[in-house]
Amino acid sequence: MKKNIILWVSLLACFTTFAQKNPDTEALKLKLNESGSRYFQVTFLNQAWFRFTDNNPGTIVNASLQNQSFDIGLRRTRMQLYGQITDRTFMYFQFGQNNFNAQYNATGNRKIAPFFHDALGEYRVSNGNQLKIGGGLSIISGISRFSQPSIGTIMTMDVPVFAQTTVDQIDQFSRKLSIYARGQLGHWDYRYILSDPFPITSNGQTPPAISSSYANFSQKGHSLQQQGYVIYQFFDHENHTTPYMTGTYLGAKKIVNVAIGGAYQPNAMWQKTVQGDTLYQDMKHVAIESFVDIPLQNHAALSAYLGYFNTNYGTNYLRYNGSMNPATGSTLNSSNSISGQGPVYGNSYPMFGTGSVVYTQIGYLLPSHRADLANRFMPYISATFAQYDRLGNNSTTTFNAGLNYFIQGHKSKLSLDFQNRPTYQVKQGDISSGNRLNSITLQFQVFI
């Protein structure tokens, strides 16, 4: 891993030397009236990853055992089309794909990837932002700002995915068919959402059989999901054009806020009782958080976040997940690994579960004699401290540290990220902590 780190630092230095210094270009924006208050805009984003990974024990990549992997992939490739088409009517579409590497759909058709992430219409009832009502396919949600992140403005290289609690289970990559109300009243920013979740049977994977040991998403019945999120803003308001929430403003705003959010879906989960009957359980999540993103002297900026999450998916629910997993299988089985909750191979680790999570991150945009965002650096660190019921006394702690190099703000940037994650082993039914493993990733983001 030391050699890998040296290699990636050298590549980052090379990119720095040859970086473009052009000023921001104009957005791809069409005015629909003379003042520009009505408009239609198109954006494009691509996040390419170049990554070395220490694989979990027993990992198979295309039928071959591999302790380590190198992969190249597209973490996200997106196109947004949106605009204020009348004085009060807003429309938003997003199309693209995610997690596209050599192992994507390895036993199927790799060309089946892009899909609509969002398709919504929104009407502004009030003269200002006090009340907007919308509906369609959208990521708008409760729980946390990281449940609905603006991925083009992430401070860390990736978002804390655990906050997107049902991602690709009963939603479409965190999007649901929903109706919602959102707005800003004084210092308050609020949103309430009523969603119609997808059945677990349509997520493209074979759902695990109902178990007497742990809950999972129910394959029978259907219920609506309610979500809410309220923020108190001490200074500037957050952006309010789309439902997405900014990762870092890089000193452009003075944001200090606290927020609380939650989600509730009755009978979303099921499991077997000892007698063999089916027991349905509610899914309930709640989080409280604080976000600070402020300018400092000499064009520096500080961005920091702290959040507490209580996630309840029912009895002993646990789900492994790995972002853009570089592997395809495992030699482990139900007798020596945690079974029934997603792939244990590659870079996966227990990311979702019934229990509690504390997540924090902090970054510092280094000072500059220039006010623009060309050739700027921002180091960051983040940590996830999770305690999931099914793991007993074994905590799940994940650390990330990295460096952003802003060639031109978020429009063109390089991110170098080091992650340290846990593994677990099972012996005679007892779960214990295994070796900690690492990955190092270089991301190149382009965004217009």
Side-chain angles (χ1 to χ4, degrees):
M1 287 303 297
K2 290 182 179 178
K3 292 180 179 179
N4 295 340
I5 293 171
I6 294 171
L7 173 61
W8 286 125
V9 170
S10 300
L11 286 173
L12 182 61
C14 291
F15 272 112
T16 301
T17 302
F18 295 106
Q20 295 290 331
K21 298 183 180 179
N22 295 332
D24 286 348
T25 56
E26 290 295 322
L28 302 175
K29 192 172 185 178
L30 175 66
K31 291 183 178 181
L32 301 181
N33 61 0
E34 186 173 350
S35 68
S37 62
R38 301 179 187 177
Y39 65 92
F40 190 76
Q41 184 169 341
V42 180
T43 74
F44 298 91
L45 175 138
N46 194 64
Q47 293 174 339
W49 280 17
F50 312 90
R51 179 175 59 177
F52 282 104
T53 304
D54 289 333
N55 290 325
N56 292 346
T59 287
I60 294 174
V61 181
N62 297 331
S64 175
L65 276 170
Q66 288 192 10
N67 294 328
Q68 291 186 323
S69 295
F70 171 76
D71 70 315
I72 301 171
L74 303 179
R75 177 68 173 99
R76 299 178 182 89
T77 298
R78 307 279 181 84
M79 174 175 61
Q80 295 180 109
L81 305 96
Y82 63 95
Q84 194 72 37
I85 59 172
T86 75
D87 289 342
R88 293 180 181 263
T89 303
F90 176 80
M91 64 187 303
Y92 180 82
F93 298 91
Q94 185 173 191
F95 185 78
Q97 65 182 37
N98 313 282
N99 300 323
F100 187 79
N101 62 2
Q103 281 66 51
Y104 177 85
N105 205 11
T107 59
N109 186 344
R110 74 178 71 94
K111 292 181 288 186
I112 302 175
F115 59 93
F116 275 102
H117 290 64
D118 303 82
L120 66 88
E122 182 178 271
Y123 183 77
R124 180 166 50 84
V125 177
S126 57
N127 291 327
N129 288 334
Q130 293 87 352
L131 176 60
K132 299 177 180 179
I133 297 175
L137 180 65
S138 175
I139 200 172
I140 187 170
S141 58
I143 307 177
S144 167
R145 67 184 303 108
F146 290 118
S147 305
Q148 48 217 316
S150 166
I151 50 88
T153 61
I154 301 170
M155 181 192 73
T156 53
M157 192 185 66
D158 207 355
V159 294
V161 181
F162 77 85
Q164 299 173 45
T165 53
T166 61
V167 59
D168 273 345
Q169 299 301 291
I170 55 173
D171 55 42
Q172 182 162 288
F173 212 74
S174 294
R175 282 78 176 174
K176 298 183 181 73
L177 297 165
S178 305
I179 55 175
Y180 64 85
R182 68 184 183 113
Q184 295 176 328
L185 296 169
H187 289 279
W188 296 94
D189 189 314
Y190 70 91
R191 52 190 68 190
Y192 172 77
I193 308 99
L194 183 65
S195 299
D196 190 7
F198 297 99
I200 186 67
T201 51
S202 68
N203 75 343
Q205 300 173 353
T206 303
I210 189 170
S211 169
S212 59
S213 301
Y214 51 83
N216 213 320
F217 287 98
S218 173
Q219 298 174 37
K220 291 185 178 180
H222 185 75
S223 58
L224 298 180
Q225 184 180 112
Q226 298 182 64
Q227 300 181 76
Y229 186 62
V230 179
I231 314 172
Y232 185 82
Q233 313 272 7
F234 290 94
F235 299 106
D236 295 342
H237 273 295
E238 298 260 23
N239 289 340
H240 214 263
T241 303
T242 73
Y244 287 87
M245 305 205 71
T246 298
T248 175
Y249 292 94
L250 299 177
K253 282 177 173 279
K254 184 179 182 182
I255 302 292
V256 178
N257 61 42
V258 293
I260 186 170
Y264 171 74
Q265 184 178 339
N267 298 326
M269 318 299 293
W270 70 353
Q271 71 173 118
K272 286 287 187 183
T273 64
V274 176
Q275 294 76 23
D277 299 324
T278 299
L279 174 66
Y280 292 90
Q281 297 179 324
D282 300 341
M283 184 177 67
K284 297 172 286 189
H285 307 310
V286 65
I288 184 169
E289 61 187 11
S290 180
F291 177 62
V292 175
D293 202 90
I294 55 175
L296 301 174
Q297 291 183 343
N298 299 320
H299 310 298
L302 175 70
S303 183
Y305 172 90
L306 177 64
Y308 169 78
F309 298 75
N310 185 276
T311 52
N312 187 346
Y313 298 87
T315 304
N316 285 332
Y317 177 88
L318 188 73
R319 179 186 167 205
Y320 270 68
N321 187 61
S323 296
M324 200 171 73
N325 202 312
T328 53
S330 175
T331 60
L332 302 182
N333 55 47
S334 59
S335 65
N336 56 9
S337 67
I338 302 173
S339 61
Q341 299 294 331
V344 297
Y345 52 77
N347 64 342
S348 290
Y349 62 92
M351 191 177 289
F352 310 90
T354 293
S356 60
V357 183
V358 173
Y359 175 76
T360 186
Q361 65 178 37
I362 186 168
Y364 178 59
L365 181 65
L366 298 181
S368 173
H369 64 280
R370 297 175 52 172
D372 63 15
L373 293 172
N375 298 321
R376 302 288 299 277
F377 289 91
M378 187 176 196
Y380 66 82
I381 56 174
S382 68
T384 306
F385 306 95
Q387 195 75 41
Y388 295 131
D389 293 352
R390 192 170 173 191
L391 294 177
N393 295 324
N394 300 290
S395 61
T396 297
T397 306
T398 308
F399 300 102
N400 288 75
L403 177 68
N404 291 310
Y405 169 58
F406 297 104
I407 301 171
Q408 187 61 54
H410 290 299
K411 292 180 180 295
S412 178
K413 72 177 181 181
L414 289 160
S415 300
L416 181 67
D417 183 87
F418 174 82
Q419 183 188 74
N420 178 259
R421 71 181 192 278
T423 64
Y424 300 90
Q425 53 191 5
V426 178
K427 292 182 180 179
Q428 298 180 340
D430 293 329
I431 300 173
S432 60
S433 297
N435 295 328
R436 296 190 65 85
L437 300 177
N438 306 311
S439 65
I440 185 166
T441 308
L442 178 68
Q443 173 184 270
F444 183 36
Q445 172 175 301
V446 288
F447 179 39
I448 184 172

